[in-house]
Amino acid sequence: MTVTTDHSHPHAHAHGTHGHVFLGEDHARNERRVWAVIALTTVMMVAEIAAGSWFGSMALTADGWHMATHAGAMLISALAYLYARRQIKNARFTFGTGKFGDLAGFASAVVLGVAALMIAWESLLRFFTPVDIDFNQAIAVAAIGLVVNIVSAWLLKDDDHHHDHGHGHGHTHGSHAHHGHHAHHESHGSKDNNLRSAYLHVLADALTSVLAIVALFLGKWNGWTFLDPAMGIVGGIVIARWSWGLLRSTGAVLVDAVPRAGDLSTQIRSRLETAEERITDLHVWQVGPGHHAAIVAIRSPSPQAPSFYRQKLEAIGELSHITVEINAAHPG
């Protein structure tokens, strides 16, 4: 005998169908903040390009166009939030649109990595072909950029306090017997990789501004002009490391790697396995920020109702969609 049950969270529809809404708890808030940072960056971009053109400042004009690329990177995150929200009920996305943020985060990580290489390469070239620097103007531009990035970083800083309250239901395929119940639990949450990617773009920009200000001040007062390209190389290396970390975390979600945080597989096994009942197959993967799905196959000499196994997993708040298959163990 085989019995299968599905447990969907947070939205379950009538007539035994399941909802697959696996967006992050703060999806709407994060989307608004990314758009706010884009608006702030765009205003700064227009102001710098206009001022640079009016006053004939190449430093201001160049930083303005740099701001344009920065806004473009933010746009990846913003559009991912928008698309995930608007396609939330699209049945083509069988496990919802919660992973669009990770896809956007992966793309942003690639952009971040390319930017790191460009910064390091340009800095390396300046070692061999130094350029004249207008220190006062360059320091002013870097300072303005740093202020904008600090405000942007504050807007994009993620909170680590997430609480999810789940409501689940189940049904037995074949007999169509329903076992309705409500589960209340807390989740430790999960990082929103889309917001993280936007935050890292801002942080990378802030880092380059800080390093530039330090190098420019020392260059102005001590004549250490070599520090300007040296700081650029250091910044490129640090940003490349951030890019690699973001690539690894988002890539793991996209290929459905077993989540490391909280070791959900271990928790599931500890709650379901007994001396007689064993898990014969287990798959756990992330379907959105703070949301994970699991498929569990159990062999039991005395199979219980689906709700029996489901209730054992209720305390694991990050499990938002559970499919349990129970197989009767034959003697001998």
Side-chain angles (χ1 to χ4, degrees), residues 8-14 17-20 167-169:
S8 295
H9 161 80
H11 299 295
H13 301 290
T17 58
H18 297 297
H20 298 91
H167 304 279
H169 81 287

Side-chain angles (χ1 to χ4, degrees), residues 67-312:
M67 282 285 186
T69 62
H70 181 58
M74 296 292 105
L75 193 59
I76 297 175
S77 296
L79 292 178
Y81 279 123
L82 179 64
Y83 190 81
R85 175 169 53 82
R86 289 191 173 181
Q87 298 295 317
I88 198 170
K89 294 182 179 180
N90 191 333
R92 291 183 61 206
F93 301 111
T94 186
F95 276 100
T97 56
K99 291 168 77 169
F100 272 95
D102 297 285
L103 182 60
F106 189 88
S108 290
V110 173
V111 174
L112 199 63
V114 171
L117 290 175
M118 291 176 64
I119 291 171
W121 178 251
E122 178 67 21
S123 299
L124 191 62
L125 290 178
R126 289 200 177 190
F127 267 120
F128 302 102
T129 55
V131 297
D132 293 331
I133 302 173
D134 184 335
F135 289 104
N136 292 329
Q137 190 181 89
I139 289 172
V141 171
I144 294 171
L146 180 59
V147 171
V148 172
N149 286 316
I150 288 174
V151 174
S152 299
W154 177 75
L155 285 171
L156 296 176
K157 191 176 188 308
D158 197 9
D159 298 321
D160 293 328
H161 306 291
H162 300 283
H163 300 283
D164 292 338
H165 298 281
H167 304 279
H169 81 287
H171 63 274
T172 303
H173 296 281
S175 64
H176 301 288
H178 290 264
H179 304 273
H181 73 284
H182 293 279
H184 298 276
H185 47 252
E186 288 189 355
S187 167
H188 295 292
S190 180
K191 290 290 183 183
D192 184 335
N193 281 323
N194 196 22
L195 186 71
R196 181 187 168 201
S197 67
Y199 179 70
L200 285 181
H201 273 285
V202 171
L203 208 60
D205 223 23
L207 174 67
T208 56
S209 295
V210 170
L211 292 176
I213 290 171
V214 172
L216 290 168
F217 264 115
L218 291 175
K220 178 181 178 180
W221 298 112
N222 297 325
W224 297 347
T225 55
F226 69 90
L227 280 180
D228 186 60
M231 289 297 191
I233 292 175
V234 171
I237 292 172
V238 173
I239 295 169
R241 288 193 62 187
W242 291 344
S243 170
W244 176 244
L246 186 58
L247 280 172
R248 290 183 62 185
S249 60
T250 54
V253 175
L254 294 176
V255 299
D256 295 330
V258 177
R260 291 182 179 179
D263 200 357
L264 293 177
S265 298
T266 301
Q267 292 183 55
I268 292 171
R269 288 186 180 278
S270 66
R271 291 178 182 276
L272 294 183
E273 289 192 320
T274 64
E276 295 183 338
E277 295 183 320
R278 310 299 297 176
I279 291 178
T280 58
D281 194 21
L282 175 61
H283 301 275
V284 183
W285 68 100
Q286 184 172 321
V287 291
H291 298 283
H292 294 80
I295 297 176
V296 189
I298 302 172
R299 181 185 292 116
S300 173
S302 305
Q304 303 293 320
S307 58
F308 173 79
Y309 301 98
R310 187 171 58 250
Q311 287 170 2
K312 286 187 174 185

Side-chain angles (χ1 to χ4, degrees), residues 28-44 71 74 78 148 151-156 202:
R29 184 205 68 176
N30 294 345
E31 181 181 352
R32 288 194 302 271
R33 291 188 177 188
V34 172
W35 282 115
V37 169
I38 290 175
L40 177 63
T41 304
T42 302
V43 169
M44 185 65 193
M74 296 292 105
V148 172
V151 174
S152 299
W154 177 75
L155 285 171
L156 296 176
V202 171

